Amino acid sequence: METYTGKSIFKGIAIGKVLFYQKGEQVVKRVKVQDTAAEISRYEAAREEALRQLNVLYEKALKEVGETNAAVFEVHAMMIEDDDYVDSIRNIIETQQVNAEFAVATTGDNFSRMFTEMDDEYFKARAADVKDISERLVNILSGRTDGQGDLEEPVIIVADDLAPSETVQMDKDKLLAFVTRYGSANSHTAILARTMNIPALIGTDISESWNGKLAVVDGYTGLIYVEPDEETLKELKRRQEEDLHARELLEQLKGKEDITPGGRSIRLYANIGGVKDVANVLANDAAGIGLFRSEFLYLEAEDYPDEESQFQAYKTVAENMAGKKVIVRTLDIGADKQAEYFGLDHEENPAMGYRAIRICLDRKEIFRTQLRALLRASAFGNIGIMYPMIISVDEVRKIKEIVEEIKKDLNEKGIPYGNVEQGIMIETPAAVMISDMLAEEVDFFSIGTNDLTQYTLAIDRQNMKLDNIYDAHHPAVLRMIRMTIENGHKHGCWVGICGELGADMTLTKTFLEMGIDELSVSPSFVLPIRKLIREMEL
Amino acid sequence: MRTFNYTITDEVGIHARPAGMLVKEVKKFASNITIVKDGKRADAKKLMLLMSLGVKCGEKITVEIEGTDEEEASVALEAFFNANL
């Protein structure tokens, strides 16, 4: 397997054979001619033929890929008739007494260089148009027809560069992806790829030796794998299916409400682990973010992240979500998530050890920095704050005191903050058992099913020996969830699930029947679950 | 001679398609019509030359019109720029 990188123009995954696209480019010979008038009329006839071809291409493109993509052929027709271009060709034939092919090729080179030397990327890309019209003329003059338009099987087209007339002539059903060495994000090929929703990479170090080999183009990462190994192929096939599925669902379900036919509605949110995931949340049309794991800020850093860098991260997410809910979980470090600079001791039983809120309430300066950043960011969107690993009412009261202190300080300094909902993770059996009391203290609950299951069943999920007795649907866990929902509702809290069980589609109906208000799942699960909910008998 | 100034509002500038349309429009008139940008001049009847000025969004150009139908051309071209560029 060989892997190469390019710049991705369109996100998508294509798997197929490579067709190395050979340019119809031939060496144009300089031939002396006696009868320059005859040579000029040969050229004039070729120009007429080129105009006719361009007109046909325009009509074809108009039907297949729309007006925006077709317009290029209109422009080509105008370029071919451009006074300077025409004069230059005639002039070369007459003064140098050479064949029309050579005059066209020389003129084409000169004009395309004029564009190549321009600063602006858009205008630079026009050099390809000049080359394209010149090649068309040379092909007509030398009696060649445009080859390679007919593709026998679906292929990934690999080429140095592709002219718009080349791409339009290709059979659209058989194009899987474009991979080119040259070209720009403004080139017609790039625009075409976007219109056709097929992955495309430019600036790739391509090779003719790929011809006929199996390859995978990953438009998400900008990689092409030539002769991928089995594992890569399998993984990318899976992602391709996911991708196609998501796209189909999106077509059907984008902008639709999360509501059952019987009128039971629910908020379907997404879980994220960093700022860059927001694009995925929006692409999958989630109604909000139900779990923004803030650990990345700490794990990616060499030292405690300061208030400003945290503020910027939270603000960016809040702004990008444009008023939709963003629930940030405060630092949940410890156990399996470690950052060196915290200097945490090795523990015999870290899952039950010094972690999450226990660290925050012990080393309050770390907690204050995060809370202050969150409150400041709340002025820029709809932020909620969620505290992990709660086991007592006392903890919640202490947290609320700190929040009040910070708010007071912000008030005094005239720093704005928004109306922030505060909630807790329900992930310990203790929190479930006192959920009626906890509900009096907070605005919402979010059930962290991963830890709750582990603590309830006393099963370490990392221990593979216990897989056979680990039952994600254990009635004890389901009863805990029901109890949490009932207690929450009785005491004015809304209740969601942000653990993996929330995305378990065999339980979605059960959760809805229990009265769950929100499910927060990986972005890729949002649309499948929306579909399920909208078709549910409830 | 008549002249007028115009600031390009089209987001890509005088790119291929509008340039083509401009050439078509200009060719309706007998006058010599020149587009000037930062001292660089291009005959507006010549598509490639016009594109090679690389006029981008927000840039100011001057249009110079000289000939027998300059009055008429000036009015028509100002309208053309406002509508298309």
Side-chain angles (χ1 to χ4, degrees):
Chain A
M1 177 171 78
E2 287 177 84
T3 311
Y4 299 83
T5 319
K7 186 179 169 214
S8 175
I9 297 298
F10 186 82
K11 289 183 169 54
I13 292 167
I15 303 172
K17 249 194 207 171
V18 169
L19 175 71
F20 190 83
Y21 191 87
Q22 289 282 13
K23 281 269 171 209
E25 213 168 290
Q26 76 258 55
V27 186
V28 173
K29 282 200 187 122
R30 188 176 196 272
V31 182
K32 274 270 176 198
V33 294
Q34 301 300 324
D35 190 351
T36 54
E39 205 57 24
I40 285 176
S41 33
R42 263 186 78 221
Y43 157 65
E44 306 267 341
R47 197 177 65 207
E48 287 309 308
E49 171 59 15
L51 286 170
R52 191 197 61 78
Q53 288 180 359
L54 285 167
N55 194 36
V56 171
L57 283 172
Y58 175 78
E59 295 295 330
K60 180 166 156 50
L62 194 62
K63 254 188 287 169
E64 287 178 359
V65 288
E67 226 234 316
T68 321
N69 286 305
V72 57
F73 298 112
E74 222 179 8
V75 172
H76 279 191
M78 284 181 180
M79 283 178 139
I80 240 170
E81 290 194 291
D82 177 70
D83 291 346
D84 288 328
Y85 184 74
V86 171
D87 288 349
S88 165
I89 294 168
R90 281 196 181 133
N91 188 43
I92 292 174
I93 296 175
E94 274 171 2
T95 59
Q96 301 186 25
Q97 296 187 311
V98 288
N99 54 330
E101 288 91 333
F102 181 79
V104 170
T106 308
T107 302
D109 283 349
N110 290 340
F111 277 79
S112 82
R113 201 170 311 125
M114 176 173 89
F115 287 110
T116 313
E117 282 163 7
M118 288 171 77
D119 292 331
D120 186 83
E121 282 305 317
Y122 172 82
F123 287 104
K124 253 191 184 131
R126 301 287 70 76
D129 293 316
V130 182
K131 276 193 193 142
D132 198 13
I133 58 164
S134 305
E135 272 165 27
R136 176 175 305 285
L137 285 168
V138 170
N139 283 344
I140 295 168
L141 283 165
S142 52
R144 290 167 46 101
T145 47
D146 300 307
Q148 300 202 7
D150 301 324
L151 303 173
E152 281 170 19
E153 55 180 341
V155 285
I156 295 169
I157 299 281
V158 173
D160 272 334
D161 204 356
L162 287 166
S165 55
E166 290 166 332
T167 50
V168 158
Q169 281 169 69
M170 291 170 189
D171 185 352
K172 300 297 160 301
D173 298 337
K174 304 220 169 86
L175 285 182
L176 299 172
F178 296 122
V179 179
T180 64
R181 184 187 301 278
Y182 308 109
S184 69
N186 286 319
S187 65
H188 297 292
T189 307
I191 296 165
L192 188 68
R194 285 189 208 110
T195 313
M196 289 173 57
N197 290 344
I198 63 170
L201 305 182
I202 58 172
T204 316
D205 190 16
I206 57 152
S207 156
E208 196 178 340
S209 66
W210 301 355
N211 195 31
K213 289 179 180 166
L214 183 69
V216 183
V217 179
D218 183 349
Y220 288 92
T221 55
L223 294 174
I224 173 166
Y225 304 89
V226 181
E227 297 190 311
D229 56 42
E230 224 165 284
E231 208 175 308
T232 309
L233 191 62
K234 208 174 126 197
E235 167 66 10
L236 279 141
K237 267 191 181 150
R238 187 188 61 74
R239 285 194 30 222
Q240 183 186 36
E241 265 164 43
E242 231 179 65
D243 193 54
L244 289 174
H245 191 58
R247 215 162 283 171
E248 276 167 30
L249 280 179
L250 195 62
E251 289 288 308
Q252 292 167 20
L253 297 170
K254 191 155 192 178
K256 297 262 169 71
E257 283 178 275
D258 299 305
I259 187 165
T260 65
R264 165 82 162 86
S265 78
I266 185 174
R267 295 195 299 277
L268 207 45
Y269 288 174
N271 297 342
I272 65 169
V275 178
K276 64 178 184 339
D277 297 338
V278 175
N280 218 354
V281 172
L282 295 172
N284 284 286
D285 201 34
I289 292 169
L291 169 61
F292 177 6
R293 303 181 184 91
S294 61
E295 291 81 68
F296 82 97
L297 287 165
Y298 297 84
L299 298 174
E300 286 171 5
E302 299 287 311
D303 200 350
Y304 299 101
D306 62 8
E307 183 184 317
E308 195 55 31
S309 63
Q310 293 199 48
F311 164 70
Q312 288 300 340
Y314 305 140
K315 174 172 174 268
T316 304
V317 174
E319 283 179 338
N320 287 343
M321 290 302 292
K324 288 180 179 167
K325 194 72 160 183
V326 177
I327 296 175
V328 183
R329 181 179 68 190
T330 59
L331 180 62
D332 186 12
I333 211 161
D336 53 336
K337 287 170 269 182
Q338 292 285 347
E340 195 125 324
Y341 57 87
F342 273 78
L344 301 175
D345 296 330
H346 177 76
E347 295 181 61
E348 286 303 321
N349 196 351
M352 299 192 179
Y354 185 67
R355 57 175 287 200
I357 204 71
R358 298 168 182 181
I359 297 178
C360 288
L361 286 174
D362 183 42
R363 297 167 65 175
K364 295 200 182 70
E365 69 290 351
I366 300 174
F367 198 31
R368 278 207 182 90
T369 305
Q370 181 169 34
L371 289 174
R372 208 163 183 276
L374 280 167
L375 284 167
R376 282 175 57 204
S378 70
F380 299 88
N382 187 358
I383 284 184
I385 309 179
M386 175 160 76
Y387 310 105
M389 277 298 283
I390 297 295
I391 57 164
S392 72
V393 172
D394 186 49
E395 285 169 334
V396 179
R397 289 194 179 143
K398 278 188 181 139
I399 293 166
K400 283 163 67 187
E401 256 172 53
I402 299 172
V403 171
E404 286 313 308
E405 281 167 27
I406 297 170
K407 281 187 181 171
K408 203 173 144 223
D409 181 54
L410 291 173
N411 285 337
E412 281 167 10
K413 298 203 165 78
I415 299 171
Y417 56 89
N419 190 15
V420 174
E421 269 195 323
Q422 292 183 79
I424 55 174
M425 294 277 288
I426 301 289
E427 54 190 333
T428 63
V432 176
M433 297 315 289
I434 60 164
S435 49
D436 54 337
M437 295 153 76
L438 291 168
E440 298 285 352
E441 302 289 332
V442 295
D443 302 308
F444 66 91
F445 288 158
S446 188
I447 305 171
T449 52
N450 302 6
D451 271 339
L452 184 60
T453 307
Q454 150 161 297
Y455 295 135
T456 302
L457 304 182
I459 290 178
D460 178 359
R461 288 195 66 184
Q462 320 287 339
N463 189 335
M464 277 157 56
K465 274 194 196 142
L466 303 175
D467 278 356
N468 59 334
I469 56 166
Y470 181 91
D471 175 10
H473 295 189
H474 196 292
V477 176
L478 296 179
R479 282 187 191 185
M480 291 227 176
I481 292 172
R482 180 188 296 278
M483 186 175 173
T484 305
I485 296 171
E486 283 171 0
N487 279 333
H489 286 175
K490 226 178 281 172
H491 300 271
C493 266
W494 62 262
V495 185
I497 297 176
C498 65
E500 268 171 49
L501 220 50
D504 185 331
M505 290 170 66
T506 61
L507 288 175
T508 310
K509 192 173 181 195
T510 310
F511 293 146
L512 260 75
E513 282 166 346
M514 285 180 180
I516 202 80
D517 301 292
E518 177 245 36
L519 290 174
S520 192
V521 297
S522 293
S524 62
F525 279 107
V526 169
L527 292 167
I529 295 177
R530 175 171 299 165
K531 185 174 156 71
L532 182 73
I533 290 171
R534 292 178 62 83
E535 291 164 3
M536 192 175 279
E537 283 176 38
L538 193 72
Chain B
M1 185 174 75
R2 302 199 147 237
T3 64
F4 65 87
N5 292 323
Y6 184 80
T7 305
I8 304 298
T9 58
D10 184 285
E11 84 184 65
V12 206
I14 304 189
H15 56 104
R17 201 152 172 239
M21 286 159 63
L22 179 59
V23 171
K24 260 193 200 163
E25 183 70 21
V26 162
K27 281 191 171 171
K28 291 180 190 162
F29 303 99
S31 297
N32 288 323
I33 298 165
T34 312
I35 309 287
V36 188
K37 189 200 105 179
D38 300 336
K40 268 169 76 185
R41 307 170 63 82
D43 182 342
K45 290 181 182 170
K46 298 180 171 179
L47 178 65
M48 297 224 222
L49 205 58
L50 192 60
M51 281 167 66
S52 76
L53 282 180
V55 182
K56 286 179 251 177
C57 184
E59 291 187 329
K60 209 188 233 175
I61 54 157
T62 305
V63 183
E64 293 178 4
I65 307 147
E66 192 165 19
T68 50
D69 54 0
E70 60 185 35
E71 236 165 88
E72 200 192 331
S74 171
V75 174
L77 284 176
E78 251 195 288
F80 176 86
F81 272 100
N82 281 318
N84 297 298
L85 283 158

